Amino acid sequence: MNIKESLYRAVSEAIRKAAADGLIPAGEYPAVKIEYPRDQKFGDYATPVALESARILKKSPIETGEILKKYISSEAPEISDIEVVKPGFINMFISPDYFPEIIRTVNSEKESFGKRKKDNPLKYNVEFVSANPTGPLNVVSARAAAIGDTISNLIEANGDVAHREFYVNDFGNQVNLLGESVLARIKEIRGEESGFPEDGYHGEYIKDIAARMNNEFGKELDALTGTEKTEFAARKAVEFNVATQKRDLGDFNVNFRQWFHESTLHQKGEVISALEALEKSGHVYDEAGKKVFRSTAYGDDKDRVVVRDDGRPTYLMADIAYHYDKLQRGYDRLIDIWGPDHHGYIARLTGAVQALGFSSEKFRVLIAQQVNLIMEGETVKMSKRLGNFSTMRELIDEVGVDVSRYFFIMRSLDSHLDFDLTLAKKDSSENPVFYLQYAHARICSIFREADKRGIVPDSENILNEHLLDHETAVVIKTMAKFPEEISDAAETLEPHKIATYLMRLAQSFHRFYAEHRILTDDRGRTDTYLALAGAVRIILKNGLAILGVSAPESM
C-alpha cells in the first residue's frame, strides 16, 4: 500500500487519457509530483501538475485542473473528493470508505507493512563511523553510527541491499604516534624514563592498553628494537582499539558486514593500481617531483598532490584507492558518512570517482555535523587528544541505547545537535523516546486488558461508522503514509523523517485515546478500535525497529 505512488500513476494516466480524448494537447509534460499540503484542510495529497503545465497548454491552470479532475477520480478509488484551487493545485482527499482497508492491510502485513520488494534491487555500500583506531569512539562517531545504520535499514526496507562497511585507517603517522604513546606508557609502568611524544595520545585508555600489552606481550616487545618495536606496539594497540570499537558498536545495535583495513590497500599494491588508473585517464601531472591530481576539473578549489616528492602516497591517494576498490566490487551506489570538518574533501574525491570512469551519481557523501553534549544547560567539553572527551560507551552507559540512537536521529544530519543529557534521562512525556515507547506500551496494555476480560478481537469486524470522527480519521490517514515516509526517507537519505513521522503517529493516537474508550459493551466499536490500535502498534514497532530503538510492551 502506497497511496502516493498510486496517485502518481493516476495523475499520469489522467494526463494521458485527457490528451487522447483531445481535451489537452499531447506532448511532454512536467514530471508529475504528489505532495502533502501544509494544512490538512487543503487535502491529504496535492499535485501542482496543472499549474506547472500552464506554459505548455496555454490554458488557465484552474481549467486544466478541472479537466484532469474527473479522470483522476476514475483512476484513484482511494480518493473521494478532489478540489481544484488557485493558483492551480489539485487537492485530493482519502475516501473514508477506504479507512477499513487501510487498517486491514496493516494488520495482515504486520512486520512487512511499510517494506517493499524490488525485482532489481540496487546494491549499496554504506561506509560510516570509520573512526581512527587510535582510541575509543566519541559521540560524533556515535551519531554517525546511529544515522548510518538507520539509513542502511531504510535502504533495506525500501527493497534494496545495504552493505555496512567500516574503514580502519591503520596506516601512516597517526598509527606510529599511537605506538610511540603506548611504548612511553609501558616505560612509565616499568619505572623507566618515558620521553612521551610531543603530539602523543594522552587518554587514560592509552595507559590501559600499555598495561595490557606489557602483561601479554612484554617479552615479545623486549626482543624488538627501533621501528620494529614501535610497529609492533602500534599494531597491537590498533587491534585492541578496533576490538573495543566493535564491542561498543555491537552494543549500539550496529554491526558491519566488513571492516576494511587501509593497510591491505598498500600491501596488495592497490594504491599504485589506482594511481596508474588515474594517470591513464590523463588527470595526473608531475610538478616539482610530485604527482598531482587535476581536481579543479571537478570543482575543487585547487589541484591536489597524490604522491609526495619522496614517493610516498598522500592520504587522498589512499582514499581514492579505497573508493576505487569499492567501485570495482560492483556496488551501484556508494554512500559515505563523514565528520563535520570534511566538506572540502567532497569535491576532490567525487572528482576522482569520475576521473576513474564512474558516474558521480554512484557516490554521495553525507556530513554528520557536530554534537554538543549538554548537561543542566552547560556544554560538556570534548578533546580527544587530551583525553577529556565523552565516549560512545560512556553515553550508552549514561542514557542507554534507545535514547542515544533516537536523539542522534531525530534531527537532520546536516544540522548541529545539542544532545540534552538531562532530557535524555527523564522518564516522562517530555522525553520523545519515552513518549513513543509509551504509546506502544499503552496499546499492549489495552490488549492485555482485553484478554483479561475474555475479549477475542475480530480484526475483520471493522465498522466504518466508528472511523469517521476527526481524531480517528487523523490516525488512519497518518498510518497510511508510513510506506510513503519510508520510501521518501530512503531515497533522500534523511532518517530524521521517520523519527518525525513516528512522533506524529504517536501524538495522533494519544489524542484518539483521550477521546475514545476502546473496550466497551459495543462489540462492533470494540473490534473496530482494537483493530485500529493494533495497526498503530505494528507501525510504531516497525518504525522504531528501523531507528534501532526497542518497542517495550510495558513501562
Side-chain angles (χ1 to χ4, degrees):
M1 174 186 289
N2 190 315
I3 296 176
K4 194 182 232 185
E5 290 185 357
S6 177
L7 292 179
Y8 172 84
R9 290 189 293 269
V11 173
S12 300
E13 186 65 9
I15 294 171
R16 189 192 69 79
K17 286 187 174 181
D21 291 343
L23 298 178
I24 59 175
E28 289 292 323
Y29 284 82
V32 172
K33 299 173 187 173
I34 305 296
E35 304 169 342
Y36 299 137
R38 290 185 178 181
D39 192 318
Q40 283 190 337
K41 70 181 181 181
F42 296 121
D44 301 306
Y45 300 89
T47 178
V49 68
L51 181 64
E52 294 178 348
S53 303
R55 288 185 179 178
I56 298 171
L57 299 178
K58 310 298 183 186
K59 282 179 180 280
S60 157
I62 299 295
E63 184 183 348
T64 303
E66 291 294 341
I67 291 171
L68 295 177
K69 174 180 173 179
K70 60 182 180 180
Y71 289 99
I72 296 172
S73 294
S74 64
E75 294 292 331
E78 309 96 328
I79 299 301
S80 57
D81 297 320
I82 299 177
E83 298 176 350
V84 181
V85 299
K86 292 182 179 180
F89 287 97
I90 302 173
N91 296 336
M92 298 166 280
F93 296 79
I94 297 176
S95 171
D97 293 338
Y98 196 61
F99 288 175
E101 178 64 22
I102 293 170
I103 296 172
R104 289 192 184 98
T105 299
V106 179
N107 281 314
S108 64
E109 293 187 6
K110 294 182 170 52
E111 64 271 7
S112 296
F113 183 72
K115 298 178 181 178
R116 66 165 55 181
K117 293 182 179 179
K118 293 182 180 177
D119 293 332
N120 297 295
L122 294 175
K123 188 178 176 184
Y124 284 76
N125 178 289
V126 188
E127 184 227 320
F128 55 104
V129 182
S130 296
N132 289 335
T134 53
L137 299 173
N138 64 20
V139 293
V140 176
S141 295
R143 186 184 194 192
I147 290 172
D149 189 57
T150 302
I151 285 175
S152 299
N153 290 339
L154 281 167
I155 289 168
E156 291 165 343
N158 199 39
D160 294 312
V161 178
H163 289 164
R164 297 159 176 80
E165 185 156 312
F166 189 117
Y167 183 51
V168 182
N169 301 99
D170 61 339
F171 191 89
N173 185 59
Q174 63 182 8
V175 177
N176 290 331
L177 198 57
L178 174 66
E180 291 172 5
S181 301
V182 171
L183 287 176
R185 294 303 187 201
I186 289 175
K187 288 180 179 179
E188 289 179 5
I189 291 171
R190 295 176 174 181
E192 303 170 6
E193 287 291 328
S194 66
F196 198 85
E198 182 178 351
D199 294 325
Y201 292 90
H202 291 264
E204 286 296 314
Y205 67 94
I206 295 294
K207 296 178 181 179
D208 295 336
I209 292 172
R212 179 177 171 186
M213 195 176 299
N214 188 48
N215 290 335
E216 296 181 19
F217 302 102
K219 290 183 179 179
E220 290 179 61
L221 272 173
D222 291 340
L224 300 172
T225 57
T227 58
E228 286 185 343
K229 180 175 284 192
T230 301
E231 290 171 1
F232 181 88
R235 186 171 70 253
K236 288 300 179 185
V238 166
E239 290 175 5
F240 292 156
N241 285 330
V242 170
T244 299
Q245 291 176 345
K246 285 184 178 180
R247 182 202 67 198
D248 291 347
L249 286 163
D251 290 345
F252 203 50
N253 297 333
V254 179
N255 295 288
F256 289 90
R257 182 175 187 266
Q258 182 165 359
W259 290 70
F260 191 105
H261 289 254
E262 179 188 350
S263 56
T264 63
L265 292 171
H266 298 272
Q267 292 163 4
K268 294 179 180 179
E270 292 190 40
V271 177
I272 300 301
S273 296
L275 174 63
E276 291 172 348
L278 272 184
E279 289 180 311
K280 188 176 180 181
S281 73
H283 290 87
V284 173
Y285 61 90
D286 294 323
E287 182 181 85
K290 307 180 185 71
K291 290 187 180 293
V292 184
F293 170 49
R294 204 182 306 275
S295 57
T296 52
Y298 300 98
D300 200 1
D301 58 350
K302 66 177 182 178
D303 293 342
R304 304 290 169 173
V305 176
V306 288
V307 179
R308 302 175 180 91
D309 54 11
D310 61 3
R312 290 180 300 124
T314 61
Y315 286 118
L316 174 60
M317 190 62 243
D319 284 340
I320 292 171
Y322 173 48
H323 286 79
Y324 191 37
D325 177 276
K326 286 197 284 189
L327 289 163
Q328 290 179 309
R329 284 186 254 158
Y331 291 106
D332 298 298
R333 299 285 187 275
L334 305 184
I335 298 172
D336 285 10
I337 300 178
W338 295 349
D341 300 324
H342 291 76
H343 281 282
Y345 211 70
I346 296 175
R348 66 198 73 161
L349 200 52
T350 304
V353 167
Q354 293 174 266
L356 289 167
F358 297 92
S359 167
S360 61
E361 293 180 359
K362 277 183 170 283
F363 178 54
R364 183 169 174 189
V365 176
L366 305 176
I367 299 293
Q369 290 293 351
Q370 184 63 42
V371 177
N372 297 316
L373 289 180
I374 308 295
M375 175 69 83
E376 301 295 344
E378 297 291 328
T379 301
V380 179
K381 302 230 180 250
M382 294 181 286
S383 171
K384 184 170 184 179
R385 189 163 300 271
L386 296 177
N388 301 325
F389 65 97
S390 297
T391 66
M392 177 177 174
R393 167 54 55 186
E394 290 170 336
L395 185 65
I396 293 173
D397 292 343
E398 187 74 14
V399 300
V401 172
D402 287 343
V403 173
S404 298
R405 285 192 59 131
Y406 186 88
F407 272 49
F408 285 134
I409 295 163
M410 68 180 181
R411 297 281 180 266
S412 173
L413 181 64
D414 58 8
S415 63
H416 291 270
L417 175 66
D418 286 338
F419 193 114
D420 190 336
L421 291 165
T422 305
L423 177 62
K425 293 194 282 188
K426 285 187 177 180
D427 290 334
S428 71
S429 59
E430 293 177 74
N431 183 336
V433 184
F434 181 92
Y435 187 85
L436 280 176
Q437 291 179 323
Y438 181 65
H440 183 269
R442 167 175 270 176
I443 296 172
C444 291
S445 71
I446 293 169
F447 278 90
R448 285 195 296 271
E449 180 61 26
D451 186 56
K452 285 181 184 177
R453 298 187 191 183
I455 299 173
V456 180
D458 182 355
S459 59
E460 292 299 313
N461 187 31
I462 302 174
L463 304 181
N464 205 45
E465 63 195 75
H466 300 305
L467 303 175
L468 303 180
D469 63 275
H470 177 72
E471 292 84 12
T472 308
V474 169
V475 175
I476 297 169
K477 290 179 178 182
T478 305
M479 287 195 304
K481 291 179 178 177
F482 183 54
E484 305 161 8
E485 295 282 359
I486 288 179
S487 179
D488 181 47
E491 289 169 8
T492 60
L493 304 179
E494 295 178 300
H496 71 277
K497 290 181 176 180
I498 299 302
T500 301
Y501 165 81
L502 291 175
M503 187 57 64
R504 288 202 313 271
L505 178 61
Q507 289 168 342
S508 69
F509 180 78
H510 284 308
R511 284 193 293 267
F512 161 82
Y513 184 80
E515 297 294 329
H516 299 81
R517 181 175 295 176
I518 293 178
L519 304 179
T520 71
D521 294 332
D522 183 333
R523 189 55 195 261
R525 183 186 296 272
T526 297
D527 281 340
T528 300
Y529 287 165
L530 281 174
L532 171 65
V536 173
R537 177 172 62 173
I538 287 168
I539 295 174
L540 286 173
K541 186 174 183 178
N542 291 356
L544 287 170
I546 287 173
L547 304 184
V549 176
S550 68
E553 296 187 1
S554 62
M555 292 178 69

